[in-house]
Amino acid sequence: MNLEEVNARLVSRFGPDAEGWLAEVPGLGAELASRWGFVLGEMFDSGASSVVLRCRWPDGTRLS
């Protein structure tokens, strides 16, 4: 997950506190994926104020 572009976008919109929040996203995503049994995928390109990832079940079925 390349967070540099997301970081620049969110910091410009919400200020420097967004960096701390964004730094926790990869760990939180991994924790939730492990807990709920899904696999994190690529990040959606859009999202002016969010981080959205495609996800799938371990058998490859997309989550929707």
Side-chain angles (χ1 to χ4, degrees):
M1 174 182 333
N2 180 357
L3 296 178
E4 289 180 29
E5 290 178 21
V6 176
N7 186 59
R9 184 178 70 236
L10 294 181
V11 167
S12 71
R13 183 170 181 154
F14 298 106
D17 288 341
E19 287 183 294
W21 174 84
L22 189 60
E24 295 181 19
V25 168
L28 179 59
E31 178 184 331
L32 294 174
S34 175
R35 182 184 309 168
W36 295 331
F38 62 85
V39 178
L40 295 175
E42 69 277 1
M43 194 168 25
F44 278 85
D45 290 333
S46 62
S49 60
S50 63
V51 176
V52 180
L53 302 170
R54 296 184 191 274
C55 301
R56 60 183 168 78
W57 292 116
D59 70 358
T61 305
R62 292 174 132 188
L63 287 153
S64 51

